[in-house]
Short mmCIF file of all heavy atoms in Angstrom, two decimals:
data_model
loop_
_atom_site.label_atom_id
_atom_site.label_comp_id
_atom_site.label_asym_id
_atom_site.label_seq_id
_atom_site.Cartn_x
_atom_site.Cartn_y
_atom_site.Cartn_z
N ALA A 264 22.30 39.16 -6.21
CA ALA A 264 21.61 38.82 -4.96
C ALA A 264 21.06 37.39 -5.03
O ALA A 264 21.18 36.61 -4.07
CB ALA A 264 20.49 39.82 -4.71
N GLU A 265 20.48 37.06 -6.17
CA GLU A 265 19.90 35.70 -6.31
C GLU A 265 21.01 34.64 -6.28
O GLU A 265 20.84 33.56 -5.71
CB GLU A 265 19.13 35.60 -7.63
CG GLU A 265 17.85 36.43 -7.64
CD GLU A 265 17.30 36.63 -9.05
OE1 GLU A 265 18.08 36.72 -10.02
OE2 GLU A 265 16.06 36.72 -9.18
N THR A 266 22.15 34.98 -6.87
CA THR A 266 23.28 34.03 -6.90
C THR A 266 23.81 33.80 -5.49
O THR A 266 24.01 32.65 -5.06
CB THR A 266 24.41 34.58 -7.80
OG1 THR A 266 23.86 34.86 -9.09
CG2 THR A 266 25.54 33.59 -7.94
N LEU A 267 23.98 34.93 -4.74
CA LEU A 267 24.54 34.81 -3.38
C LEU A 267 23.57 34.12 -2.43
O LEU A 267 23.97 33.50 -1.45
CB LEU A 267 24.95 36.17 -2.85
CG LEU A 267 26.18 36.80 -3.55
CD1 LEU A 267 26.51 38.16 -2.96
CD2 LEU A 267 27.38 35.89 -3.47
N LYS A 268 22.30 34.23 -2.74
CA LYS A 268 21.31 33.54 -1.91
C LYS A 268 21.49 32.02 -2.04
O LYS A 268 21.39 31.28 -1.06
CB LYS A 268 19.91 33.95 -2.35
CG LYS A 268 18.87 33.75 -1.31
CD LYS A 268 17.57 34.40 -1.68
CE LYS A 268 16.48 33.84 -0.81
NZ LYS A 268 15.16 34.03 -1.37
N LEU A 269 21.78 31.60 -3.27
CA LEU A 269 22.01 30.16 -3.48
C LEU A 269 23.34 29.71 -2.91
O LEU A 269 23.47 28.63 -2.35
CB LEU A 269 22.03 29.86 -4.99
CG LEU A 269 20.73 29.58 -5.71
CD1 LEU A 269 21.03 29.22 -7.16
CD2 LEU A 269 19.95 28.44 -5.08
N GLU A 270 24.36 30.57 -3.10
CA GLU A 270 25.72 30.21 -2.68
C GLU A 270 26.34 31.38 -1.92
O GLU A 270 27.07 32.21 -2.49
CB GLU A 270 26.58 29.85 -3.91
CG GLU A 270 26.18 28.59 -4.63
CD GLU A 270 26.35 27.31 -3.80
OE1 GLU A 270 26.94 27.37 -2.71
OE2 GLU A 270 25.88 26.26 -4.26
N PRO A 271 26.07 31.49 -0.62
CA PRO A 271 26.56 32.64 0.16
C PRO A 271 28.09 32.74 0.25
O PRO A 271 28.60 33.82 0.55
CB PRO A 271 25.97 32.40 1.56
CG PRO A 271 24.89 31.39 1.37
CD PRO A 271 25.23 30.58 0.18
N SER A 272 28.82 31.67 -0.06
CA SER A 272 30.29 31.75 0.03
C SER A 272 30.92 32.42 -1.18
O SER A 272 32.14 32.63 -1.21
CB SER A 272 30.89 30.35 0.14
OG SER A 272 30.41 29.72 1.29
N LEU A 273 30.11 32.75 -2.18
CA LEU A 273 30.70 33.37 -3.38
C LEU A 273 31.05 34.82 -3.11
O LEU A 273 30.40 35.52 -2.32
CB LEU A 273 29.73 33.27 -4.57
CG LEU A 273 29.48 31.85 -5.10
CD1 LEU A 273 28.50 31.88 -6.26
CD2 LEU A 273 30.79 31.20 -5.53
N ASN A 274 32.06 35.29 -3.82
CA ASN A 274 32.57 36.64 -3.68
C ASN A 274 31.59 37.68 -4.21
O ASN A 274 30.80 37.39 -5.10
CB ASN A 274 33.86 36.74 -4.50
CG ASN A 274 34.92 37.47 -3.74
OD1 ASN A 274 34.60 38.28 -2.87
ND2 ASN A 274 36.16 37.21 -4.08
N ASP A 275 31.70 38.91 -3.69
CA ASP A 275 30.78 39.97 -4.13
C ASP A 275 31.06 40.45 -5.56
O ASP A 275 30.27 41.19 -6.13
CB ASP A 275 30.89 41.18 -3.19
CG ASP A 275 30.30 40.85 -1.83
OD1 ASP A 275 29.45 39.94 -1.77
OD2 ASP A 275 30.70 41.49 -0.84
N ASN A 276 32.22 40.06 -6.11
CA ASN A 276 32.50 40.49 -7.49
C ASN A 276 31.76 39.65 -8.54
O ASN A 276 31.88 39.88 -9.73
CB ASN A 276 34.01 40.49 -7.79
CG ASN A 276 34.59 39.10 -7.67
OD1 ASN A 276 33.93 38.20 -7.14
ND2 ASN A 276 35.80 38.91 -8.14
N ILE A 277 30.97 38.67 -8.07
CA ILE A 277 30.14 37.90 -9.01
C ILE A 277 28.89 38.74 -9.31
O ILE A 277 28.13 39.07 -8.39
CB ILE A 277 29.72 36.54 -8.39
CG1 ILE A 277 30.93 35.73 -7.95
CG2 ILE A 277 28.83 35.76 -9.35
CD1 ILE A 277 31.91 35.35 -9.02
N ASN A 278 28.68 39.06 -10.57
CA ASN A 278 27.55 39.93 -10.92
C ASN A 278 26.31 39.17 -11.40
O ASN A 278 25.19 39.60 -11.17
CB ASN A 278 27.98 40.93 -11.98
CG ASN A 278 28.82 42.03 -11.36
OD1 ASN A 278 28.43 42.60 -10.33
ND2 ASN A 278 29.99 42.29 -11.93
N TYR A 279 26.56 38.07 -12.09
CA TYR A 279 25.44 37.27 -12.62
C TYR A 279 25.82 35.79 -12.57
O TYR A 279 26.99 35.44 -12.42
CB TYR A 279 25.16 37.62 -14.10
CG TYR A 279 24.79 39.05 -14.32
CD1 TYR A 279 25.73 39.96 -14.84
CD2 TYR A 279 23.52 39.52 -14.01
CE1 TYR A 279 25.40 41.28 -15.05
CE2 TYR A 279 23.17 40.84 -14.22
CZ TYR A 279 24.12 41.72 -14.73
OH TYR A 279 23.78 43.02 -14.92
N SER A 280 24.81 34.97 -12.76
CA SER A 280 25.12 33.54 -12.96
C SER A 280 24.05 32.90 -13.80
O SER A 280 22.92 33.40 -13.89
CB SER A 280 25.23 32.81 -11.61
OG SER A 280 23.95 32.74 -11.00
N LEU A 281 24.42 31.81 -14.43
CA LEU A 281 23.43 30.94 -15.08
C LEU A 281 23.28 29.73 -14.16
O LEU A 281 24.27 29.10 -13.78
CB LEU A 281 23.91 30.50 -16.46
CG LEU A 281 24.10 31.60 -17.51
CD1 LEU A 281 24.42 30.99 -18.88
CD2 LEU A 281 22.88 32.49 -17.62
N PHE A 282 22.04 29.47 -13.80
CA PHE A 282 21.74 28.35 -12.90
C PHE A 282 21.16 27.21 -13.74
O PHE A 282 20.06 27.33 -14.27
CB PHE A 282 20.74 28.83 -11.84
CG PHE A 282 20.33 27.78 -10.83
CD1 PHE A 282 21.15 26.70 -10.51
CD2 PHE A 282 19.10 27.90 -10.18
CE1 PHE A 282 20.76 25.75 -9.58
CE2 PHE A 282 18.70 26.94 -9.24
CZ PHE A 282 19.54 25.86 -8.95
N PHE A 283 21.96 26.15 -13.89
CA PHE A 283 21.50 24.98 -14.64
C PHE A 283 20.80 24.07 -13.64
O PHE A 283 21.46 23.43 -12.80
CB PHE A 283 22.69 24.29 -15.32
CG PHE A 283 23.41 25.19 -16.28
CD1 PHE A 283 24.64 25.74 -15.97
CD2 PHE A 283 22.83 25.52 -17.50
CE1 PHE A 283 25.29 26.59 -16.84
CE2 PHE A 283 23.47 26.38 -18.39
CZ PHE A 283 24.70 26.92 -18.06
N THR A 284 19.49 24.05 -13.73
CA THR A 284 18.72 23.45 -12.63
C THR A 284 18.69 21.91 -12.67
O THR A 284 18.46 21.29 -11.64
CB THR A 284 17.27 23.97 -12.67
OG1 THR A 284 16.77 23.76 -14.01
CG2 THR A 284 17.21 25.44 -12.34
N ASP A 285 18.91 21.32 -13.85
CA ASP A 285 18.69 19.87 -13.96
C ASP A 285 19.97 19.04 -13.93
O ASP A 285 19.95 17.88 -14.32
CB ASP A 285 17.92 19.56 -15.26
CG ASP A 285 16.49 20.06 -15.18
OD1 ASP A 285 16.10 20.56 -14.11
OD2 ASP A 285 15.77 19.95 -16.19
N VAL A 286 21.09 19.65 -13.54
CA VAL A 286 22.32 18.87 -13.58
C VAL A 286 22.68 18.38 -12.17
O VAL A 286 22.00 18.71 -11.20
CB VAL A 286 23.48 19.64 -14.26
CG1 VAL A 286 23.03 20.26 -15.57
CG2 VAL A 286 24.05 20.72 -13.35
N ALA A 287 23.74 17.61 -12.09
CA ALA A 287 24.06 16.94 -10.82
C ALA A 287 25.57 16.90 -10.60
O ALA A 287 26.34 17.29 -11.48
CB ALA A 287 23.50 15.52 -10.86
N HIS A 288 25.97 16.46 -9.42
CA HIS A 288 27.40 16.22 -9.21
C HIS A 288 27.57 15.04 -8.27
O HIS A 288 26.63 14.61 -7.60
CB HIS A 288 28.11 17.47 -8.68
CG HIS A 288 27.79 17.83 -7.26
ND1 HIS A 288 26.65 18.52 -6.90
CD2 HIS A 288 28.47 17.60 -6.10
CE1 HIS A 288 26.64 18.71 -5.59
NE2 HIS A 288 27.73 18.16 -5.07
N THR A 289 28.79 14.51 -8.25
CA THR A 289 29.09 13.44 -7.31
C THR A 289 30.09 13.97 -6.29
O THR A 289 30.92 14.83 -6.61
CB THR A 289 29.66 12.17 -7.99
OG1 THR A 289 29.94 11.19 -6.97
CG2 THR A 289 30.93 12.42 -8.78
N ILE A 290 30.02 13.45 -5.10
CA ILE A 290 30.94 13.89 -4.05
C ILE A 290 32.26 13.13 -4.12
O ILE A 290 33.18 13.43 -3.37
CB ILE A 290 30.32 13.73 -2.63
CG1 ILE A 290 29.81 12.30 -2.44
CG2 ILE A 290 29.22 14.76 -2.41
CD1 ILE A 290 29.55 11.93 -1.00
N ASP A 291 32.38 12.16 -5.03
CA ASP A 291 33.63 11.42 -5.15
C ASP A 291 33.63 10.56 -6.42
O ASP A 291 33.11 9.43 -6.42
CB ASP A 291 33.82 10.53 -3.90
CG ASP A 291 35.21 9.95 -3.82
OD1 ASP A 291 35.88 9.84 -4.87
OD2 ASP A 291 35.63 9.59 -2.70
#
Side-chain angles (χ1 to χ4, degrees):
E265 291 164 327
T266 305
L267 290 180
K268 202 169 164 200
L269 274 184
E270 293 294 352
S272 300
L273 293 180
N274 223 335
D275 290 336
N276 62 347
I277 304 299
N278 284 312
Y279 300 103
S280 69
L281 296 186
F282 180 26
F283 300 105
T284 53
D285 290 356
V286 312
H288 71 279
T289 179
I290 53 164
D291 191 337

